[in-house]
Amino acid sequence: MASTAPIKRALLIAKQWPEPTSTAAGRRTLDILDLLAEAGYQVEIASPAQPTPFQAKTGFGEHTIAVNDTSFDQWVAALNPALVIYDRFMMEEQFGWRVREQCPDAVTLLDTSDFHSLREARHQALKTGEPVNLFNASAEREIAAMARCDLTVMISQVEVELLKQHFCLPEWQLHYLPFLVRELPDVNKLPDFDEREHLVMIGGFKHAPNRDATTWFAQTVWPRLHTLLPGVECHVYGAYSDHAMHRLSDPATGLRIHGRTEDALATIARYRLNLAPLRFGAGQKGKILEGWLSGTPTVTTPVGAESMAPENTWGYTLSDNPDQLAATIARLYQSKSDWLNVRDAGIRALAAGFSYQDHAANFIQRLQDIAENLEAHRNRNIWGRILRRTEHRAEEFMSRWIETKNKLANRD
């Protein structure tokens, strides 16, 4: 009788249920889960968040878990995953110690989506006018979570180098995995310059960089641009729009704030230009990727361009100066030849940096290599071993204290 191979499970512990139509992080999460499923893993998703009507219908197992509750311990032990993925460092803080206790042989992976503490540091610098301080309290927590895991997956090569140079993380603990594109768009099947009109922006409004970009654009760039392009409208789409964002609408000038769109690519493809006027952020930018995938020339700033394509390949000069940004948008909107050059630059960027064939197999092989040599891999990670020792397990003891406190409160 043929023996049955043991089930190889991959468990994602997610801060929120993946919403690929709401956030780039949701798209990123599904990229990874699909890769794992194709590699033979049985994929399970667990989250302490409430379900939403916009979460992806993945077909994977879905489980609601509780923070600060020992019920997770028995559940994860019975599941016995071979791979556990934390989609934010906060998830590793809350559940990592429990996974290490119950499933010590599971390979652990941290997927940051973007370098959270870098984004936070840039936001703070923008608000205060002071230099970016990378060495903040969030960075200490995020780097500690990286050290405790067997591998950290980064979506930005810029951030990989930053972690190596400024935080001394070794290359063997990091893996670069960008957004994955399986097939390049056929621009001949997409609307061309003359079939498109107006400008578009897109991005979920729960994300601070998107809120800031929309506000800054509406108050600073749009008044200049509206003068250069009279009669041209700008339509801003974003999941979880609220009153503060809708107040920026100015129908008299053609600036219109909308809610979510269910099909970002189809929506963007109707417009002549896609705008991403980001002033801070981190990681790769889903809104720029969607512009390229829809054959829509995308105008962004230096921070938006970071990790997407080299500075000299965009077909225009990157700038966050409002006058120059407005002038670039106006020129591309009016010149078909310039428009085509920037559109084609986006297609080349997709081919050069986001190919599924270039990255998928390497990622799976990296996981297999770690799993096959897990003890040796962990022995190299001395700082992770130190941080996992009892005297450095503050998250565990805080969680245990909260759990006991809750039980006593329920008894009363």
Side-chain angles (χ1 to χ4, degrees):
M1 181 181 295
S3 61
T4 303
I7 297 173
K8 185 171 61 172
R9 293 187 178 90
L11 170 64
L12 169 71
I13 301 180
K15 186 171 183 287
Q16 304 289 340
W17 297 101
E19 292 187 22
T21 63
S22 301
T23 68
R27 171 197 286 270
R28 156 66 164 198
T29 297
L30 293 189
D31 277 350
I32 292 176
L33 297 185
D34 288 343
L35 271 183
L36 295 172
E38 290 167 8
Y41 285 88
Q42 177 178 306
V43 176
E44 309 286 340
I45 306 173
S47 178
Q50 292 295 315
T52 80
F54 309 110
Q55 68 191 62
K57 295 177 174 61
T58 63
F60 302 136
E62 296 181 356
H63 312 273
T64 299
I65 53 177
V67 178
N68 306 318
D69 195 314
T70 54
S71 62
F72 175 85
D73 300 354
Q74 291 80 37
W75 175 79
V76 78
L79 188 70
N80 193 28
L83 172 68
V84 177
I85 308 155
Y86 309 103
D87 77 347
R88 296 292 191 281
F89 73 88
M90 296 80 82
M91 293 294 96
E92 191 281 335
E93 288 179 338
Q94 291 175 333
F95 294 99
W97 64 271
R98 293 182 183 274
V99 169
R100 285 191 293 273
E101 282 190 350
Q102 304 300 325
C103 308
D105 296 328
V107 174
T108 56
L109 185 153
L110 177 64
D111 176 35
T112 64
S113 288
D114 62 15
F115 190 4
H116 177 91
S117 48
L118 172 62
R119 169 162 45 87
E120 191 173 280
R122 286 173 168 171
H123 193 184
Q124 185 66 20
L126 181 65
K127 290 188 289 186
T128 64
E130 298 176 354
V132 173
N133 174 24
L134 294 174
F135 304 98
N136 52 53
S138 288
E140 293 173 1
R141 293 173 58 194
E142 194 162 14
I143 300 300
M146 292 178 185
R148 288 189 294 261
C149 288
D150 296 314
L151 187 69
T152 295
V153 177
M154 301 299 295
I155 199 171
S156 164
Q157 188 64 55
V158 171
E159 292 164 16
V160 169
E161 294 305 315
L162 186 150
L163 287 166
K164 289 160 56 179
Q165 294 173 17
H166 292 274
F167 294 98
C168 302
L169 264 72
E171 188 163 4
W172 52 265
Q173 254 187 294
L174 302 168
H175 187 87
Y176 169 59
L177 186 69
F179 286 124
L180 300 176
V181 174
R182 296 172 184 257
E183 185 177 355
L184 294 178
D186 183 350
V187 295
N188 295 316
K189 296 180 179 179
L190 293 167
D192 65 17
F193 178 89
D194 297 313
E195 296 174 295
R196 300 169 181 247
E197 63 177 350
H198 303 314
L199 310 167
V200 66
M201 289 173 55
I202 195 164
F205 289 121
K206 281 188 175 181
H207 194 49
N210 293 338
R211 297 182 70 87
D212 174 79
T214 302
T215 302
W216 180 66
F217 178 85
Q219 296 176 347
T220 307
V221 181
W222 180 245
R224 294 166 165 83
L225 186 56
H226 176 61
T227 301
L228 297 174
L229 294 175
V232 174
E233 298 182 354
C234 182
H235 295 191
V236 183
Y237 296 86
Y240 300 103
S241 56
D242 55 23
H243 180 66
M245 292 294 99
H246 283 284
R247 286 183 60 187
L248 297 170
S249 281
D250 187 1
T253 64
L255 179 63
R256 304 179 186 276
I257 311 295
H258 303 281
R260 73 171 56 242
T261 175
E262 292 304 319
D263 190 333
L265 296 185
T267 297
I268 296 173
R270 300 199 304 263
Y271 293 88
R272 188 171 292 178
L273 289 179
N274 177 42
L275 310 183
L278 295 160
R279 297 198 298 167
F280 71 96
Q284 292 185 333
K285 319 306 184 298
K287 59 184 65 59
I288 295 177
L289 185 82
E290 290 166 342
W292 293 343
L293 289 171
S294 63
T296 310
T298 297
V299 181
T300 190
T301 58
V303 73
E306 181 185 274
S307 80
M308 297 298 295
E311 185 176 349
N312 62 352
T313 63
W314 289 77
Y316 57 89
T317 301
L318 296 165
S319 176
D320 53 13
N321 176 279
D323 289 312
Q324 186 168 347
L325 193 60
T328 297
I329 295 168
R331 175 172 60 83
L332 296 180
Y333 192 88
Q334 295 169 319
S335 169
K336 184 173 183 176
S337 61
D338 290 342
W339 187 91
L340 288 170
N341 286 338
V342 174
R343 183 200 67 182
D344 293 345
I347 304 300
R348 289 193 295 272
L350 287 175
F354 300 85
S355 168
Y356 172 91
Q357 289 77 12
D358 291 344
H359 295 279
N362 289 340
F363 172 61
I364 297 301
Q365 187 62 53
R366 188 78 184 275
L367 294 178
Q368 291 175 350
D369 290 344
I370 292 173
E372 291 170 3
N373 302 278
L374 189 56
E375 183 177 1
H377 182 84
R378 287 178 174 172
N379 285 341
R380 297 176 71 187
N381 182 11
I382 184 61
W383 292 112
R385 294 171 69 90
I386 290 171
L387 288 167
R388 288 192 292 266
R389 285 180 60 85
T390 302
E391 58 265 34
H392 294 278
R393 286 156 58 189
E395 291 83 11
E396 174 184 344
F397 297 127
M398 176 60 77
S399 180
R400 291 188 185 279
W401 178 81
I402 293 172
E403 183 178 2
T404 301
K405 180 172 175 286
N406 290 341
K407 286 180 178 177
L408 292 172
N410 293 333
R411 189 182 302 170
D412 291 343

